């Protein structure tokens, strides 16, 4: 653990403000949620006395002492795993993650992850919680991720995510014909019986996914999606919820459904596509240090390109039968 001691004083101008709000204004390098956790866990002293109520009102003039610890990722092993780096500066990395690569070590995946690769590529990142990872992609979802190279950048990126200031757009191929775009606004939680699955559930965390139609095929639809929230498996769960699961999704997709009269080669292409057809294609954010708006794009990977081409060819071959 990395020990952290911070000292500050509440100015009179913040009279009547909540303690967590006041401290977050004085220490903008740390997110309000992190400051709230420090207060709740007895890490914050006001005039030498521990105060563990974030809603406590301040009067002005109080001396604040914070004795906190920030977790270091030293217990994970650095591994020489190639990273496709799209952008890098002193504060952030943007990577284009391939399929079959887990982001963070966990049960069944103790190594061989993006985190292990980051520790090898930039050893100082061990001083940042979760090696700077602020959001994740599923193992077989490809595309763009931003990583913080220091604690200050991470704090601002986490806060931007919470404020929904980071835009993440995806491309996907879904089963069925979707006639128009829309929004899925349904809470998501861990599945009550299948522990590796997530599900739409009334008491889950809020989750919002916007989608629009890019291209329609005979029995499938190519989509562009934008996340407002970032729940585990969010796009996959939401599309399955509206009866349009993603092609190849092993958890939520079911068996491939080729259209009537499809060629053997096209049917085989559907069967051979063995991951969710989902790619994080665009990432836009305000740089956590400079405030500059930045945007990156990652082209559709080869396996999805082949799938889309096969869908286009099948649709063209049967265009006279289409009724949309």
């Amino acid at each position: 653990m990395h020990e952290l001691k911070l000292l500050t004083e509440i100015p009179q101008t913040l009279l009547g403000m909540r303690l967590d709000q006041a401290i977050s204004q004085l220490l903008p390098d740390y997110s309000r949620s992190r400051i709230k956790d420090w207060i709740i866990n007895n890490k914050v002293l006001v005039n030498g006395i521990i105060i563990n109520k974030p809603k406590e009102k301040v009067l002005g003039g109080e001396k604040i002492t914070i004795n906190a610890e920030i977790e270091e990722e030293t217990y994970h092993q650095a591994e020489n795993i190639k990273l496709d780096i799209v952008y890098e500066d002193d504060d952030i990395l943007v990577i284009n993650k391939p399929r079959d690569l887990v982001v963070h070590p966990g049960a069944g995946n103790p190594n061989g992850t993006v985190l292990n690769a980051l520790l090898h590529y930039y050893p100082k990142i061990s001083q940042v919680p979760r090696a700077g990872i602020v959001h994740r992609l599923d193992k077989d979802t490809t595309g763009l991720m931003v990583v913080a190279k220091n604690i200050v950048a991470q704090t601002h990126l986490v806060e931007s995510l919470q404020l929904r200031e980071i835009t993440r757009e995806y491309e996907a191929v879904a089963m069925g014909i979707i006639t128009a775009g829309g929004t899925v606004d349904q809470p998501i939680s861990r599945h009550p019986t299948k522990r590796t699955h997530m599900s739409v559930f009334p008491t889950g965390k809020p989750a919002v996914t916007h989608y629009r139609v890019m291209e329609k095929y005979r029995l499938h639809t190519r989509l562009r999606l934008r996340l407002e929230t970032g729940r585990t498996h969010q796009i996959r769960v939401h599309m399955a919820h509206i009866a349009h699961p993603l092609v190849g999704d092993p958890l939520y997709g079911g068996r491939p459904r080729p259209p009537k009269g499809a060629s053997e080669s096209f049917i085989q292409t559907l069967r051979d596509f063995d991951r969710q057809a989902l790619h994080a294609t665009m990432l836009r954010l305000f740089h956590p240090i400079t405030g500059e708006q930045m945007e990156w794009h990652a082209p559709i990977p080869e396996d999805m390109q082949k799938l889309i081409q096969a869908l286009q060819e099948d649709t063209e071959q049967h265009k006279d039968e289409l009724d949309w």
Side-chain angles (χ1 to χ4, degrees):
M1 302 291 283
H2 171 64
E3 292 187 3
L4 185 72
K5 184 163 185 174
L6 301 169
L7 302 171
T8 189
E9 184 173 329
I10 306 291
Q12 298 291 338
T13 53
L14 300 185
L15 169 69
M17 187 173 284
R18 285 172 48 137
L19 179 62
D20 59 344
Q21 290 176 323
I23 295 175
S24 66
Q25 283 207 14
L26 297 171
L27 302 174
D29 288 344
Y30 302 92
S31 68
R32 184 171 160 190
S33 61
R34 176 169 280 169
I35 289 167
K36 187 176 179 181
D37 284 342
W38 287 340
I39 295 170
I40 292 169
N41 290 295
N42 302 321
K43 304 293 185 184
V44 176
L45 288 79
V46 179
N47 293 331
I49 300 171
I50 291 175
I51 301 293
N52 57 13
K53 297 177 181 177
K55 294 182 179 180
E56 187 90 4
K57 303 294 186 184
V58 299
L59 300 174
E62 296 97 330
K63 288 182 169 51
I64 304 297
T65 305
I66 299 174
N67 297 304
E69 294 176 331
I70 294 179
E71 183 181 356
E72 292 185 9
E73 296 289 347
T74 54
Y75 52 89
H76 291 301
Q77 184 178 353
E79 295 181 63
N80 188 5
I81 301 169
K82 182 176 173 58
L83 291 170
D84 181 2
I85 297 172
V86 176
Y87 174 82
E88 180 178 12
D89 60 27
D90 291 341
D91 304 295
I92 62 173
L93 277 168
V94 176
I95 65 171
N96 183 13
K97 190 186 85 66
R99 61 166 296 171
D100 200 30
L101 183 61
V102 174
V103 170
H104 196 283
N109 294 287
N111 46 45
T113 70
V114 170
L115 184 145
N116 300 110
L118 288 167
L119 291 173
H120 178 271
Y121 177 77
Y122 186 66
K124 287 183 179 179
I125 213 165
S126 66
Q127 299 170 17
V128 186
R130 297 173 301 282
I133 294 167
V134 297
H135 67 113
R136 303 186 190 185
L137 296 175
D138 298 336
K139 175 183 177 182
D140 284 326
T141 297
T142 56
L144 296 169
M145 283 179 54
V146 63
V147 177
K149 294 175 70 176
N150 53 63
I151 290 174
V152 174
Q154 186 190 47
T155 298
H156 286 303
L157 286 174
V158 168
E159 198 162 60
S160 292
L161 278 168
Q162 292 169 344
L163 295 171
R164 302 183 182 183
E165 293 175 346
I166 296 180
T167 302
R168 291 165 289 165
E169 290 192 357
Y170 295 71
E171 282 201 27
V173 180
M175 296 183 183
I177 299 172
I178 302 174
T179 56
T183 297
V184 184
D185 185 353
Q186 294 288 341
I188 290 175
S189 67
R190 185 71 59 183
H191 194 284
T193 58
K194 301 176 183 177
R195 302 311 295 167
T196 59
H197 291 52
M198 306 299 289
S199 64
V200 167
F201 205 73
T203 57
K205 293 180 179 179
V208 180
T209 305
H210 305 283
Y211 62 92
R212 62 180 175 85
V213 174
M214 293 183 69
E215 195 171 23
K216 290 187 288 185
Y217 312 113
R218 286 209 295 151
L219 205 58
H220 300 83
T221 308
R222 182 179 178 184
L223 299 171
R224 182 89 169 200
L225 306 105
R226 180 166 53 84
L227 293 180
E228 274 197 30
T229 51
R231 308 303 173 205
T232 301
H233 298 177
Q234 178 172 319
I235 289 174
R236 300 163 64 187
V237 170
H238 272 171
M239 297 315 296
H241 179 72
I242 63 171
H244 293 288
L246 303 188
V247 170
D249 193 328
L251 294 185
Y252 310 103
R255 299 180 62 182
R257 297 199 297 259
K260 183 179 178 181
S263 67
E264 282 300 319
S265 62
F266 176 57
I267 293 171
Q268 196 61 45
T269 298
L270 284 179
R271 287 176 179 162
D272 289 345
F273 198 87
D274 59 351
R275 71 171 180 100
Q276 60 270 9
L278 182 62
H279 174 69
T281 190
M282 190 276 278
L283 177 67
R284 182 168 59 241
L285 53 80
F286 293 99
H287 192 280
I289 305 303
T290 69
E292 177 190 358
Q293 188 178 74
M294 308 183 80
E295 182 173 320
W296 301 273
H297 297 261
I300 303 299
E302 187 177 351
D303 62 344
M304 275 185 68
Q305 288 182 27
K306 289 180 178 177
L307 173 67
I308 290 166
Q309 183 178 352
L311 288 161
Q312 291 170 335
E313 289 174 354
D314 173 78
T315 301
E316 178 64 24
Q317 289 166 10
H318 296 86
K319 62 182 178 181
D320 294 338
E321 304 165 19
L322 300 176
D323 57 3
W324 44 261

